[in-house]
Amino acid sequence: MPAPRRIRGTAPGGLLAALLAVTTASACAGPGETEAVGAHAADESATGAAEGFPEGTFDYQLGASYEPPAGVGTVVRDSTAEPAQDMYSICYVNGFQTQPGDLEWWFTEHPDLILRDASGEPVVDPGWPAERILDTSDEDKRADIAEILTETIATCAEKGFDAVEFDNLDSDLRSQGLLTQDDNLALATELVALTNGHGMAAGQKNAAEVTQRGRDEVGFEFAVAEDCAVWSECSAYTGVYGDDVIAVEYPDALEEAGMTFAEACDAEGAPARMILRDLDLVGPEHEDHLYEAC
């Protein structure tokens, strides 16, 4: 079954911005001060803070940040953005592929962490040709990727986000057989531990086929699902994560499936927090902006 489409944070240079933010904070620290700053600074006793989403629905704001509609209690924004004020705020991190704006940095600084085929060419996500798949195939590379993403996770915490969602857990499906579920779940386990260490909850993004392992083995505390009604996958998420699931449907996919959003809301296993968003996730000032909630 084809994987649901994934929407990326659109702000350029996400990883570079995060690295700069943490580096600047570290440089300002006085003698004896920790480099991890902010309300969610890491310590060994910190754990994930998943206690269920607050009342109300949610909004998915990766393309633009704006005042959430009435009735929204949870907002997802890119790691380069600021969290929504007085909302349960989830930070988007592309955990298993490069962000488009960061591609040159990866090739310059960490070319060995880019997955390559037998001819040595980088493996491309066909749906997102500006991205390259990260090589999770061995322990040392996973450790290096996790170390790099530590900076992004720390920035999410320093800004005051409550949780992190990690995109492209299913990159093994686009890896030309070079990666396995086990490879990606092993990296995910490291990323969840880092996130929990900063007092934030960690969420699984898509990859319906590994929800049970994602919760039981990796330690994900909630799930973010795209097009789950279109692909008849909602029960795969809610059957494992219960009410701790937020779902986004997109108009083009619904049209191709011959389904209305009302039907998606009534789909088997559909979570209570399901919304319809425009594919580019633009703000209300844009003519293509679309937002509906079940």
Side-chain angles (χ1 to χ4, degrees):
M1 177 183 296
R5 68 165 59 89
R6 296 158 309 282
I7 304 299
R8 310 292 197 257
T10 57
L15 176 61
L16 298 182
L19 288 170
L20 179 60
V22 173
T23 301
T24 301
S26 300
C28 295
E33 292 181 323
T34 178
E35 294 184 1
V37 298
H40 296 284
D43 66 70
E44 292 182 359
S45 63
T47 59
E51 297 177 353
F53 295 116
E55 289 195 12
T57 186
F58 79 105
D59 197 1
Y60 210 52
Q61 298 188 359
L62 300 189
S65 298
Y66 52 86
E67 184 67 23
V72 168
T74 299
V75 176
V76 183
R77 288 180 177 172
D78 189 69
S79 62
T80 59
E82 295 297 318
Q85 191 171 14
D86 299 322
M87 300 277 172
Y88 188 85
S89 293
I90 301 174
C91 189
Y92 169 95
V93 174
N94 197 347
F96 297 82
Q97 297 184 185
T98 66
Q99 282 288 83
D102 298 336
L103 187 55
E104 183 177 351
W105 182 86
W106 281 97
F107 276 124
T108 301
E109 301 294 330
H110 297 281
D112 59 312
L113 299 182
I114 303 296
L115 184 67
R116 299 175 187 271
D117 61 23
S119 64
E121 291 298 312
V123 178
V124 179
D125 179 344
W128 295 87
E131 298 187 19
R132 301 296 181 272
I133 295 174
L134 297 177
D135 189 350
T136 64
S137 62
D138 71 59
E139 184 176 355
D140 288 341
K141 290 181 178 181
R142 291 193 293 269
D144 288 343
I145 294 168
E147 183 176 1
I148 293 167
L149 292 179
T150 296
E151 309 293 357
T152 307
I153 294 167
T155 297
C156 294
E158 191 272 333
K159 288 181 176 182
F161 281 95
D162 300 289
V164 178
E165 65 149 317
F166 291 101
D167 201 4
N168 289 305
L169 178 63
D170 58 356
S171 68
D172 60 286
L173 300 178
R174 301 178 293 281
S175 71
Q176 302 176 18
L178 299 172
L179 302 178
T180 68
Q181 283 184 1
D182 288 344
D183 294 331
N184 281 5
L185 291 175
L187 173 58
T189 301
E190 296 188 52
L191 298 179
V192 168
L194 289 168
T195 303
N196 288 172
H198 281 280
M200 298 182 291
Q204 173 179 335
K205 173 71 169 290
N206 295 327
E209 65 279 0
V210 296
T211 51
Q212 196 71 56
R213 296 186 67 189
R215 189 193 67 174
D216 295 346
E217 298 176 25
V218 176
F220 285 123
E221 295 144 294
F222 66 93
V224 180
E226 292 178 302
D227 290 334
C228 74
V230 166
W231 295 109
S232 301
E233 293 178 334
C234 294
S235 293
Y237 297 100
T238 55
V240 172
Y241 291 100
D243 290 335
D244 296 326
V245 178
I246 55 178
V248 189
E249 299 291 324
Y250 300 102
D252 290 350
L254 287 171
E255 183 177 358
E256 291 172 9
M259 180 183 292
T260 66
F261 181 55
E263 290 171 333
C265 293
D266 291 334
E268 182 179 358
R273 296 173 180 82
M274 176 181 281
I275 62 172
L276 177 66
R277 283 296 335 254
D278 56 279
L279 186 58
D280 292 326
L281 303 172
V282 295
E285 74 286 350
H286 197 289
E287 63 180 4
D288 293 331
H289 175 77
L290 176 62
Y291 179 89
E292 293 182 33
C294 291

